[in-house]
Amino acid sequence: MQKNNSSYTTMFTLSGLNESSTNKYIYFSFTLLGYLFIICVNLTLIVIIALEKTLHEPMYFFLCNLSANALYGTAGFFPKLLFDFLSDTHVISYSGCLLQIFIIYTFSSCEFSNLTMMAYDRYVAICRPLEYHAIMTPLTTGKLILFSWIFPFCCLCFAILLTSRLPLCGSHIEKLYCDNWSVVKLSCVDTTVNNGYGYVVACIFFAHFLFILFSYMKILRACRTSSIAMSKCLQTCLPHLLTVINYNIAMLFDVMYSKYGSHNVPQVLHNLLSVEFLIVPPIFNPLIYGLNFQKIRNKVTRMCSRNKVIHT
């Protein structure tokens, strides 16, 4: 898979499916159903928010952006995985590998940026309610959504440039998909610059996490004097808080697997840990928001009732 000159690596082999060949059609079927479900629930949420004028508020626009990002990120993972289930050789081109890294990492970064914007929106709505509409204008909301995409894209463009300059001494990746750390580990030269830049980006997004914590500390402090206010706070903030917790747990699994993965752990568990952040949040987010936000729940109920009437 690799030419003699280390800098001319043209293909990578992915070893995540080596033990699934006997049941590949079963895995393919369940994976396809899962991917179609992700597309269905996220597209439904986007269409509902786009068509329902009462949902044209900052919080729902951020939620719509979350679903759009889920469709973008899963499109960089599931089609290749489904193809590999039906193939006897699990390979990916060098350029395809870098593209997959870019899509998956920008999805992950955009998800966290968007969750940070949603925390800021809840903070302004609860702690500064009289100024909410003056602060969270349509223009401001649009700028925040644009930033949640542009900033991760810029970060990952530079990371990909740093990775693409490395001559490689291997072509074997022990995962279902390409990730930056796995490619950097194959380098024949020192990777201090890549590692340093990775830590800088990690610190930036850790600051996002600290901002989310700070926002919720402010929110809880503002609501602690009234049980009614606390109840409303939990009703509007609990879905976001659960999403943040779920996403951070998913990312922790992936980081722990990438950095400290052990060959003693079964490959099935390896695979589950490495793709948890690509499967659970895209399913979990639209469902939990759809179930907890009454406006969305009512709209879905009306759509289902309308379909029943049409079919009868």
Side-chain angles (χ1 to χ4, degrees), residues 40-254:
C40 181
V41 293
N42 283 283
L43 271 181
T44 300
L45 196 60
I46 291 171
V47 170
I48 288 173
I49 293 172
L51 297 180
E52 186 64 38
K53 291 184 178 180
T54 59
L55 298 179
H56 290 181
E57 300 174 7
M59 186 62 180
Y60 296 106
F61 285 136
F62 290 129
L63 180 54
C64 186
N65 190 44
L66 209 61
S67 288
N69 184 51
L71 293 175
Y72 162 74
T74 53
F77 169 68
F78 280 98
K80 176 68 172 80
L81 178 63
L82 290 168
F83 178 81
D84 283 345
F85 276 129
L86 301 179
S87 175
D88 294 327
T89 57
H90 309 134
V91 297
I92 186 170
S93 67
Y94 182 83
S95 58
C97 184
L98 292 184
L99 178 62
Q100 189 175 57
I101 291 170
F102 181 81
I103 293 174
I104 290 176
Y105 276 66
T106 49
F107 152 75
S108 175
S109 304
C110 186
E111 183 99 351
F112 210 80
S113 295
N114 199 68
L115 291 174
T116 306
M117 305 306 173
M118 293 170 78
Y120 176 70
D121 176 78
R122 292 300 83 200
Y123 162 74
V124 177
I126 294 172
C127 298
R128 302 169 67 180
L130 298 178
E131 304 173 66
Y132 180 75
H133 292 291
I135 296 174
M136 298 302 295
T137 63
L139 180 61
T140 301
T141 303
K143 287 180 179 179
L144 290 174
I145 290 174
L146 193 61
F147 175 80
S148 73
W149 285 91
I150 291 177
F151 179 71
F153 270 63
C154 292
C155 288
L156 265 298
C157 280
F158 193 66
I160 293 296
L161 286 174
L162 289 177
T163 301
S164 64
R165 70 183 176 84
L166 297 174
L168 304 179
C169 287
S171 59
H172 185 71
I173 295 176
E174 296 180 354
K175 294 185 83 168
L176 293 170
Y177 60 90
C178 287
D179 74 302
N180 197 53
W181 177 249
S182 296
V183 176
V184 170
K185 285 194 297 184
L186 298 174
S187 173
C188 306
V189 297
D190 183 68
T191 60
T192 301
V193 175
N194 296 71
N195 296 336
Y197 181 72
Y199 287 125
V200 169
V201 173
C203 288
I204 292 173
F205 284 98
F206 182 69
H208 284 44
F209 177 69
L210 292 179
F211 180 83
I212 294 173
L213 289 181
F214 174 78
S215 298
Y216 273 98
M217 287 173 61
K218 287 284 188 179
I219 290 170
L220 291 174
R221 185 176 297 176
C223 297
R224 66 181 179 181
T225 55
S226 169
S227 58
I228 297 176
M230 181 61 74
S231 177
K232 289 183 177 179
C233 167
L234 290 176
Q235 185 179 0
T236 58
C237 295
L238 187 60
H240 178 258
L241 191 59
L242 289 174
T243 302
V244 172
I245 293 171
N246 168 64
Y247 179 73
N248 279 279
I249 291 175
M251 288 306 301
L252 181 63
F253 280 152
D254 183 57

Side-chain angles (χ1 to χ4, degrees), residues 10-25:
T10 58
M11 301 288 285
F12 293 101
T13 58
L14 304 172
S15 65
L17 294 178
N18 285 353
E19 296 179 8
S20 63
S21 57
T22 54
N23 300 309
K24 63 180 182 180
Y25 294 111

Side-chain angles (χ1 to χ4, degrees), residues 19-40:
E19 296 179 8
S20 63
S21 57
T22 54
N23 300 309
K24 63 180 182 180
Y25 294 111
I26 296 175
Y27 289 129
F28 174 85
S29 300
F30 279 105
T31 302
L32 179 61
L33 288 174
Y35 184 40
L36 292 176
F37 183 75
I38 288 172
I39 293 173
C40 181

